[in-house]
Every structure is written in structure tokens, then in C-alpha cells.
Amino acid sequence: MNTLSSVSNFHSMKNSDLFSKRKLMDPSVCFTHPSNRFLTVSPKGILDASPKGIQPYLRLIRFDKPIGTYLLYWPCTWSIAMAASPGQLPDFWLLTLFGAGAFFMRGAGCIINDMWDRDIDRKVERTKLRPLTSGELSMFQGLVCLGGMLSVSLAILCQLNMFSIVLGASSMSLVILYPLAKRFTYWPQAMLGVTLNWGVLLSWSAISDGLTWPVLPLYTACVVYTVIYDTIYSHQDKYDDMLIGVKSTALKFGDQTKYWLSGFAAVMVSGLTTTGVMCDQTWPYYAAVAFTSGHLFHQIWSVNLDNADDCAAKFRSNTRLGFIMFLGVTLGTLLKVTEGEDEKEKKVAMISK
């Protein structure tokens, strides 16, 4: 009798009650059940929880793959922190503006890239399901989305001084032409580096009302840094690229890739060190540069260039490097005043003697 009663009670339960009992036994359910989609906070989870009509647009701007936004943003933060006054934290408003700008300009760059490359992307396993390539979105829909991303980016740019507005606007030719580079040269990664790191110059000018010498070695370091991580990334597609006829540094360097990248790593570390010396940086900055050097050489010599998953993992690891370098620049700038005051006290003591 008790058994029959239990069965009857089970069948009379509401679906929500059943789900609640499952949730207690399996906490992961709340991340997968449709009624609990809002609990997910990762970019991929937000995309999956979004209305179906919006999802293709989010995938078009790579919303679920924020690594590109991070790699665009972190060098800007280095520049903002480096240009800050001694003893001062980097300007929070500028960090916010450039964070938003990195998101919207990265999205715009992805759309432009997909418009140029939709025929090529159909032949590459990793890219054949992109919204414009698969036909999920039309070219007109992509163009409308691009217009929205660029409009917001322009509004952000207009918050800066006039020199920076002109400098930022001048980068649009690079953004538009970069996707064509792989058709004509084996150095599209260098073109990407010049384009992607334009924000280093822009953020410096936003603080200094122009460009000064220390930003040049910093910009050079960031350009070769992009060549390093994007060459590793491009090894994922090297076999498809060979069949299609698309060029890249991965194909250019071939079996000598690690030696080439080691040379670029040395240039990057030299550029960061030179900028530090020119800006009178302190020990936390050089500690961050030392960490960067170790990270780069470990990344270069441990990556399996014939394993697409390992190439992708090494590529993504650069997010951590970006944060640590930003932390080093910030702390190094904060300590400038302390060290300066110590020097003044020593001079006063010497004079009094």
C-alpha cells in the first residue's frame, strides 16, 4: 500500500518540483536547464541564454570568444598606466572607455574580416559555420551590425582630445585592409600587430595630448607580441591555408617557427625594457617584464605546433600575461614618487653635511 502511495505521489508532482529535487542532487543542472539560463555568467552561457534571433549577431562579433577583446585591450592599459603621473593610479575613466572601445572595435573588425573572407572561410573547417559564411546572416544584416558597432566606437572616440580623434580615425584604413593582407603577403600577422595595437598610441595621446618617444618602443613591443601569439594561432589552420593558397607567418616560418618567435620575444622584451628606462620605471615593472620573458619563452618552446588544441590553449594564455604586465606597470608607476622622495632625502642629507 505504501509503495502504491509513493508512486501516486511521484506522478502527481509538478515538473518544477522534480527539477528542484534534481537541482539539489546535481548543482550543474541550473546551468543547463532552460528555465535557469539566466544563472550563467560566462560569455558562452550568455550567448546560449540569449534570444535565438540575437545569437547569430553575437557569434558574428565573437561575443563568446572574448580573448580577442582582451588582446586588444591589455596593451591599451599598459600605455594608460605607463603615461600616468608618478605616484598615480591609471585613469579609471580612460580604462573604461578603452575597454568599451576594445569590445566594439574588435566586433567591427570581426565583421569586416568575415565580409572579406566569407568565400575563404567556407573552405576552412574552423570557420565554415560563421554566420556570414554559412548564410545564417545576410551581407546586409552584417553591414547593419557593422554600422552599429562603428557608431558606438565613434561616440567613444569623440570623448578624447582632437589629436586622439584624428589618430583613431586614421586607423580605419588599417582595419578595412588587414583582411586582404593574407592574400598578398606571408606577413599578415605583422599587419594585424600594427592594426590591433593602434590603441597603444591612442591611449598615450589621450593622456599626453600627443605622442612622445617612450611610446614608440612600447608600440613596437606590442606589435611583435601580436606576431608571436597570432603565429601560434595560425598554426591551427596551416594545412587548410596551404590548400586554399592563403599566406601566413606559420607557413613562412615552417619548421623554424620557434626560432623566429624567440627572436621576436627578445625584441618585445627589449622594447618593454627600453620604455621602462625612458619612463623611469621601478622594480615592479621590471619584475613584470621578467615574468613576460619567462612566459613567452615557455609558451614558444612548449607549444606543439602540430596540435590545434595546444596552439589554441597557448594563444588563450596571453590573457594572464596581459593582466600581470598591467599590474607591473601600475605598481611601478605608483612607486615612482616613493623612490623620488628617497633620492631627494639623500640629497638633502648630503647637502646638510
Side-chain angles (χ1 to χ4, degrees), residues 131-268:
L132 291 181
T133 303
S134 64
E136 191 174 8
L137 291 178
S138 67
M139 285 290 286
F140 177 75
Q141 289 172 311
L143 190 62
V144 170
C145 186
L146 175 61
M149 303 298 281
L150 290 177
S151 296
V152 176
S153 299
L154 178 60
I156 294 171
L157 182 63
C158 288
Q159 307 304 308
L160 307 180
N161 55 56
M162 184 54 65
F163 182 92
S164 300
I165 292 174
V166 174
L167 182 65
S170 67
S171 69
M172 273 310 300
S173 59
L174 295 173
V175 175
I176 293 170
L177 294 176
Y178 155 68
L180 297 177
K182 66 174 73 73
R183 294 164 169 80
F184 303 106
T185 176
Y186 280 100
W187 294 90
Q189 280 68 32
M191 180 71 171
L192 176 64
V194 171
T195 306
L196 194 70
N197 294 290
W198 203 258
V200 172
L201 304 177
L202 190 59
S203 52
W204 189 281
S205 71
I207 296 174
S208 305
D209 289 323
L211 300 177
T212 54
W213 289 111
V215 75
L216 297 182
L218 177 62
Y219 178 63
T220 302
C222 293
V223 170
V224 296
Y225 176 42
T226 300
V227 174
I228 293 168
Y229 63 66
D230 203 58
T231 297
I232 292 174
Y233 185 79
S234 65
H235 268 273
Q236 297 178 94
D237 302 327
K238 58 187 175 184
Y239 298 114
D240 287 325
D241 289 348
M242 283 189 286
L243 292 173
I244 299 168
V246 171
K247 300 175 175 64
S248 71
T249 48
L251 298 180
K252 173 71 175 177
F253 301 157
D255 294 337
Q256 302 299 309
T257 291
K258 294 190 176 185
Y259 297 102
W260 276 91
L261 297 189
S262 296
F264 286 126
V267 173
M268 179 186 178

Side-chain angles (χ1 to χ4, degrees), residues 11-306:
H11 284 291
S12 65
M13 279 184 178
K14 294 181 179 179
N15 288 337
S16 58
D17 294 333
L18 286 173
F19 179 68
S20 297
K21 290 182 179 294
R22 276 187 62 206
K23 188 166 62 174
L24 293 174
M25 296 184 289
D26 183 8
S28 67
V29 170
C30 64
F31 292 97
T32 57
H33 194 276
S35 65
N36 286 269
R37 289 182 300 177
F38 66 91
L39 295 177
T40 59
V41 292
S42 68
K44 181 67 167 63
I46 293 172
L47 186 151
D48 291 339
S50 299
K52 294 295 183 182
I54 297 177
Q55 289 185 17
Y57 293 96
L58 294 178
R59 283 187 280 108
L60 178 64
I61 64 172
R62 317 286 198 273
F63 180 86
D64 56 327
K65 298 175 181 177
I67 179 63
T69 300
Y70 296 145
L71 292 174
L72 176 57
Y73 179 56
W74 284 124
C76 297
T77 68
W78 304 350
S79 184
I80 292 170
M82 189 76 77
S85 300
Q88 300 296 315
L89 288 169
D91 189 301
F92 181 75
W93 175 239
L94 280 180
L95 289 175
T96 303
L97 279 180
F98 277 84
F103 174 81
F104 286 103
M105 278 306 298
R106 190 266 181 138
C110 289
I111 297 172
I112 292 171
N113 182 79
D114 288 2
M115 285 180 164
W116 279 116
D117 287 354
R118 65 189 185 282
D119 292 331
I120 292 175
D121 286 344
R122 291 190 184 102
K123 304 172 185 177
V124 178
E125 186 65 28
R126 186 176 58 85
T127 60
K128 65 183 182 181
L129 295 180
R130 287 176 175 173
L132 291 181
T133 303
S134 64
E136 191 174 8
L137 291 178
S138 67
M139 285 290 286
F140 177 75
Q141 289 172 311
L143 190 62
V144 170
C145 186
L146 175 61
M149 303 298 281
L150 290 177
S151 296
V152 176
S153 299
L154 178 60
I156 294 171
L157 182 63
C158 288
Q159 307 304 308
L160 307 180
N161 55 56
M162 184 54 65
F163 182 92
S164 300
I165 292 174
V166 174
L167 182 65
S170 67
S171 69
M172 273 310 300
S173 59
L174 295 173
V175 175
I176 293 170
L177 294 176
Y178 155 68
L180 297 177
K182 66 174 73 73
R183 294 164 169 80
F184 303 106
T185 176
Y186 280 100
W187 294 90
Q189 280 68 32
M191 180 71 171
L192 176 64
V194 171
T195 306
L196 194 70
N197 294 290
W198 203 258
V200 172
L201 304 177
L202 190 59
S203 52
W204 189 281
S205 71
I207 296 174
S208 305
D209 289 323
L211 300 177
T212 54
W213 289 111
V215 75
L216 297 182
L218 177 62
Y219 178 63
T220 302
C222 293
V223 170
V224 296
Y225 176 42
T226 300
V227 174
I228 293 168
Y229 63 66
D230 203 58
T231 297
I232 292 174
Y233 185 79
S234 65
H235 268 273
Q236 297 178 94
D237 302 327
K238 58 187 175 184
Y239 298 114
D240 287 325
D241 289 348
M242 283 189 286
L243 292 173
I244 299 168
V246 171
K247 300 175 175 64
S248 71
T249 48
L251 298 180
K252 173 71 175 177
F253 301 157
D255 294 337
Q256 302 299 309
T257 291
K258 294 190 176 185
Y259 297 102
W260 276 91
L261 297 189
S262 296
F264 286 126
V267 173
M268 179 186 178
V269 172
S270 297
L272 292 174
T273 303
T274 301
T275 300
V277 171
M278 296 175 75
C279 292
D280 297 320
Q281 273 292 345
T282 56
W283 70 264
Y285 174 79
Y286 295 106
V289 172
F291 174 86
T292 296
S293 176
H295 175 92
L296 288 175
F297 283 97
H298 174 266
Q299 177 177 262
I300 291 167
W301 289 99
S302 66
V303 65
N304 181 352
L305 295 174
D306 293 320

